[in-house]
Amino acid sequence: MKLSINNVCKTYPNGVQALQNVTLEISTGMFGLLGPNGAGKSTLMRTIATLQEADSGSIFLDDIDVLKEKNTIRQLLGYLPQDFGVYPEITAETLLDHIAILKGISNKKERKEIVDGFLNQTNLYSHRKKKLGTFSGGMLQRFGIAQALMGNPKLIIVDEPTAGLDPEERKRFQNLLSEIGENMIVILSTHIVDDVSELCNNMAIIHEGQVLLKGEPMQVISDLNGKIWKKVIEKHELNQYKQNFNVISTNLFSGKIMLHVFTCNSPDPSFVSVDPTLEDVYFSHIKSAKLTQ
Ligand code: ADP
């Protein structure tokens, strides 16, 4: 299976160019769409999910025209939106059963087997009689995956799924995603770099509606070998360093500041060369995009 997104553009009535000639090729497995808030991720996710129109461009799932054959795509799609709302008074089991009916599974026994299967897969079986309004954020997101899996989708879209989850819930959710990502296309839209480095075999960085980079995380990281340098400085020195060096990120470190600088040659002997991470890839591309604006 392959999702081909070609030159997709979208400008909102207020003039915001949310997508500018977005072109991506996405195969089976986990694909990470990484970008800061406002980059255009949800706009692209909603467009693929047939919930809004593009101004121009095309999207194909194999030979199905996503922008035109909306009903066909909806049958192949599982979608966990960013603002996933549920009916708080309904139990997990009842809502999944309703969704299964909507997906056309009319046999009661078959439906129970399917619903129980997804409740088990998402580790929610013991909570099945609880009202959704009592679920934690992590449980709700796992429930969101259970509903997205209903009806055997070939393409799953999850929009910012781990934002707001505590570390343990996030791990559980990541494990669930990596299990389902083996047999279908899963697009994970996120601003959390670690989600992409931990889960995805392919990725793109999007910023202000434009794709800045696409590739395999391992490859794009190794492209930065020998180009990332670190130094710990005092807080008051930061502005001076920002003026003199290509600082791509700063982190607090024992009350001081750890800088990462991107440059092909040693900035000066006081800097130490470090192994690049996906965070370095992300920040260096966002920074150079901002500089060229
Ligand atoms: P992301 O999901 O990466 O945070 P969005 O796709 O939500 O980004 O938004 C991209 C840009 O489009 C932002 O500048 C946002 O303010 C703008 N935007 C999103 N939805 C609308 C809308 N319905 N009307 C006008 N502007 C919008």
Side-chain angles (χ1 to χ4, degrees):
M1 264 244 128
K2 201 171 67 182
L3 184 75
S4 307
I5 302 167
N6 286 302
N7 291 311
V8 169
C9 296
K10 173 73 185 179
T11 301
Y12 285 110
N14 61 0
V16 173
Q17 287 185 290
L19 300 174
Q20 301 181 47
N21 284 313
V22 169
T23 296
L24 293 169
E25 192 115 307
I26 302 177
S27 310
T28 303
M30 291 274 304
F31 183 90
L33 183 69
L34 180 62
N37 288 335
K41 302 182 298 295
S42 290
T43 302
L44 184 60
M45 298 301 100
R46 288 196 305 262
T47 310
I48 301 168
T50 74
L51 296 173
Q52 70 179 61
E53 305 285 335
D55 295 337
S56 58
S58 69
I59 305 177
F60 279 85
L61 182 63
D62 286 342
D63 53 2
I64 307 166
D65 189 332
V66 174
L67 301 179
K68 295 206 176 100
E69 298 169 67
K70 292 188 178 156
N71 283 334
T72 312
I73 285 301
R74 284 173 192 159
Q75 283 164 19
L76 299 171
L77 176 79
Y79 179 45
L80 176 55
Q82 193 171 1
D83 46 3
F84 176 59
V86 290
Y87 301 95
E89 292 297 320
I90 295 182
T91 68
E93 186 179 50
T94 307
L95 187 51
L96 278 186
D97 188 60
H98 282 316
I99 293 167
I101 294 172
L102 291 176
K103 293 276 177 180
I105 307 161
S106 53
N107 180 295
K108 201 170 172 188
K109 186 162 164 276
E110 184 193 352
R111 220 163 51 233
K112 181 161 173 34
E113 273 171 22
I114 291 172
V115 166
D116 284 357
F118 287 137
L119 285 167
N120 269 318
Q121 190 178 353
T122 52
N123 246 309
L124 290 172
Y125 189 77
S126 58
H127 304 289
R128 68 192 183 283
K129 304 277 184 209
K130 288 186 188 157
K131 290 180 177 176
L132 290 164
T134 67
F135 272 24
S136 70
M139 287 159 74
L140 272 181
Q141 289 301 69
R142 280 185 277 131
F143 179 81
I145 286 294
Q147 64 81 29
L149 286 170
M150 195 68 76
N152 265 330
K154 300 281 175 273
L155 168 64
I156 293 224
I157 293 175
V158 283
D159 199 356
E160 300 271 3
T162 65
L165 299 189
D166 69 36
E168 197 184 329
E169 285 179 329
R170 190 170 146 254
K171 259 289 133 283
R172 268 189 135 160
F173 189 80
Q174 283 187 335
N175 289 339
L176 176 60
L177 277 185
S178 73
E179 266 172 40
I180 65 171
E182 284 172 10
N183 307 316
M184 50 186 113
I185 299 176
V186 180
I187 307 179
L188 167 68
S189 139
T190 183
H191 64 272
I192 301 171
V193 179
D194 286 347
D195 280 349
V196 175
S197 57
E198 285 161 25
L199 287 173
C200 300
N201 51 355
N202 247 297
M203 62 167 293
I205 296 175
I206 180 171
H207 175 66
E208 308 224 319
Q210 289 179 315
V211 176
L212 301 182
L213 171 86
K214 36 194 165 184
E216 295 173 16
M218 300 257 264
Q219 182 60 49
V220 296
I221 290 170
S222 69
D223 289 345
L224 287 191
N225 276 341
K227 296 177 187 165
I228 303 297
W229 305 80
K230 75 170 181 187
K231 181 170 182 179
V232 178
I233 60 162
E234 301 293 337
K235 284 180 188 162
H236 70 266
E237 297 175 301
L238 181 58
N239 277 342
Q240 177 202 336
Y241 274 86
K242 278 187 167 170
Q243 276 165 20
N244 294 334
F245 300 98
N246 184 19
V247 175
I248 56 166
S249 67
T250 58
N251 282 301
L252 282 173
F253 179 75
S254 301
K256 299 189 177 191
I257 289 180
M258 162 92 81
L259 297 179
H260 273 201
V261 162
F262 171 62
T263 171
C264 291
N265 301 310
S266 169
D268 78 35
S270 65
F271 282 83
V272 177
S273 172
V274 284
D275 285 340
T277 63
L278 195 59
E279 205 169 84
D280 294 318
V281 174
Y282 179 64
F283 286 127
S284 59
H285 280 84
I286 298 279
K287 168 116 198 251
S288 65
K290 283 185 177 158
L291 287 177
T292 53
Q293 268 164 8

